[in-house]
Amino acid sequence: MTDAASAPGTVRPGGRTARIRAAVLRAAEDALIECGFAGVDLAEIARRAEVGKTTVYRRWGTPQGLVADLLADMAEQSVRRTETGSLDGDLRANARLVVSTLTDPRQGVLFKAVICAATTDERTAQALHRFYATRIAEWAPCVDQAVQRGEAPHGTDAAEVIRAVSAPLYYRFLVSGDPLDATVADQVARTTARAAGTGAYVR
Amino acid sequence: MTDAASAPGTVRPGGRTARIRAAVLRAAEDALIECGFAGVDLAEIARRAEVGKTTVYRRWGTPQGLVADLLADMAEQSVRRTETGSLDGDLRANARLVVSTLTDPRQGVLFKAVICAATTDERTAQALHRFYATRIAEWAPCVDQAVQRGEAPHGTDAAEVIRAVSAPLYYRFLVSGDPLDATVADQVARTTARAAGTGAYVR
């Protein structure tokens, strides 16, 4: 995801403006990881990103605006879905991607910070909801394909199946503290694929 | 927990100690709702609760200790499960209870505040995990009863079924921002009961 921004040869296309955005978003990400939303100070981020303070204030306006842009960038940069040829396989790939993101030391802390920021700020909440809508729209076609292959009945709510994979993983991550690993990912994917197969998500 | 409040025999229900605890926990709850975890200042809470500052510092020690005790109290006080005679009915009662708690203006904000506090503080995280373990243990017997009635196969993981009801509701509450109401509660309960019936939670 955002590591691409700093890896040689993978800098976002688009010249100076894009380079400034990449540097500022990276600094915002670092600040969120280190101190949570309270650490997102525009002047300090401009200093870290080696970008003029005026540029940062003019372009992003507020910490909320900057975090919203970071979430938009995270949605743009996020990984394309995997196609394995079966619903169980596709949902397993999705579940494993979610688990590896949430258990990554940087990404996990970043997601906790933005999710918590969204609980008290409406603009951040809207940006977060757009991020998840993008991710769900990316993966939903795997359910439609499964319906075409006869693995789940017509009328299956594809988005709801994808949410059903993410939900138990986020519940463990944020709420219950139960283990979060590849075994759990596979179990959640299998349970969801089976439930979808029996028509549990037909709406 | 090391709090005096949780040591057997040290609290006489209705006595002075219990009244002090009730007043302090209520003030802590108010502070969390108004300002989040950052608002939990022991001196200010003592003032609001009209309790001596020394008492609060001696008994709860830190904001983390106070929030941990609040979560223990929330687990003690929380609603007993409903028995409806069917798995679908019991899970619906559970789902509706979760939804009504999370959408209650005070409770919803309180849960967001403690869940977010737990993302950055290990002691709060442990107290939160104990809270959910208590709630899951309260509801799991409804699944065991359903197994006895033949509504789900032997070997069904009762705790996992209860988590499967909560997870999509918390996902909507904290992450996706999708609607959270009685219709969703009933849908989640029905999907989970059907999946349990087909053996999706046999471990």
Side-chain angles (χ1 to χ4, degrees), chain A residues 112 115-116 119 128-129 132 160 163 166-168 171-172 174-178 187 191 194 198-201 203, chain B residues 112 115-116 119 128-129 132 160 163 166-168 171-172 174-178 187 191 194 198-201 203:
Chain A
K112 282 179 174 172
I115 290 166
C116 288
T119 65
L128 187 73
H129 301 161
Y132 285 104
E160 193 61 19
R163 282 187 207 103
S166 281
Y171 182 76
R172 286 165 179 262
L174 294 168
V175 173
S176 76
D178 294 304
Q187 213 169 54
T191 302
R194 283 179 61 170
T198 66
Y201 300 102
R203 296 289 180 254
Chain B
K112 283 180 172 170
I115 290 166
C116 288
T119 65
L128 187 74
H129 301 161
Y132 286 104
E160 193 61 20
R163 283 188 206 103
S166 280
Y171 182 77
R172 285 163 180 263
L174 294 168
V175 173
S176 75
D178 293 306
Q187 213 169 53
T191 301
R194 283 179 61 171
T198 66
Y201 300 102
R203 297 289 180 255

Side-chain angles (χ1 to χ4, degrees), chain B residues 14-100:
Chain B
R16 185 169 175 274
T17 307
R19 281 198 307 278
I20 288 176
R21 184 181 180 221
V24 170
L25 295 186
R26 174 71 186 203
E29 196 179 294
D30 289 343
L32 278 164
I33 289 168
E34 285 163 31
C35 312
F37 185 71
V40 183
D41 174 83
L42 296 193
E44 172 62 14
I45 280 167
R47 195 192 59 73
R48 284 200 198 197
E50 299 178 7
V51 167
K53 213 159 61 171
T54 317
T55 304
V56 173
Y57 278 102
R58 200 169 47 217
R59 183 150 167 194
W60 286 280
T62 59
Q64 288 80 2
L66 179 52
V67 172
D69 194 35
L70 175 63
L71 279 159
D73 183 65
M74 285 163 65
E76 286 158 25
Q77 304 291 326
S78 61
V79 182
R80 292 272 307 157
R81 75 184 166 98
T82 313
E83 300 192 44
T84 67
S86 76
L87 182 59
D88 185 52
D90 287 2
L91 297 185
R92 196 163 56 230
N94 182 7
R96 286 189 174 203
L97 177 63
V98 172
V99 166
S100 69

Side-chain angles (χ1 to χ4, degrees), chain A:
Chain A
M1 200 176 61
T2 39
D3 287 344
S6 56
T10 56
V11 172
R12 291 176 186 79
R16 185 167 176 275
T17 304
R19 280 199 305 278
I20 288 176
R21 184 180 181 223
V24 169
L25 294 187
R26 174 71 184 202
E29 195 180 295
D30 289 343
L32 278 164
I33 289 168
E34 286 162 30
C35 312
F37 184 71
V40 183
D41 174 82
L42 295 193
E44 171 63 13
I45 280 167
R47 196 193 58 73
R48 284 199 198 200
E50 299 178 7
V51 167
K53 213 157 61 170
T54 318
T55 304
V56 172
Y57 279 102
R58 199 170 47 216
R59 181 145 167 196
W60 286 280
T62 60
Q64 288 79 2
L66 179 51
V67 172
D69 194 36
L70 175 63
L71 279 160
D73 183 65
M74 285 163 65
E76 286 159 25
Q77 304 291 325
S78 61
V79 181
R80 292 272 308 157
R81 76 184 165 98
T82 313
E83 299 192 44
T84 68
S86 76
L87 181 59
D88 184 52
D90 287 1
L91 296 185
R92 197 163 56 231
N94 182 5
R96 286 190 174 203
L97 176 63
V98 171
V99 166
S100 69
T101 302
L102 298 183
T103 57
D104 175 84
R106 271 183 69 88
Q107 296 293 312
V109 175
L110 178 63
F111 273 86
K112 282 179 174 172
V114 290
I115 290 166
C116 288
T119 65
T120 56
D121 179 70
E122 187 47 35
R123 183 168 178 186
T124 306
Q126 286 172 11
L128 187 73
H129 301 161
R130 278 194 299 273
F131 172 81
Y132 285 104
T134 304
R135 294 309 294 153
I136 288 166
E138 169 66 25
W139 281 88
C142 83
V143 181
D144 297 326
Q145 290 169 349
V147 169
Q148 295 307 318
R149 286 191 303 262
E151 291 183 72
H154 284 279
T156 294
D157 182 336
E160 193 61 19
V161 174
I162 301 306
R163 282 187 207 103
V165 171
S166 281
L169 306 174
Y170 276 85
Y171 182 76
R172 286 165 179 262
F173 178 60
L174 294 168
V175 173
S176 76
D178 294 304
L180 196 56
D181 54 26
T183 305
V184 169
D186 293 357
Q187 213 169 54
V188 165
R190 198 166 47 243
T191 302
T192 309
R194 283 179 61 170
T198 66
Y201 300 102
V202 172
R203 296 289 180 254

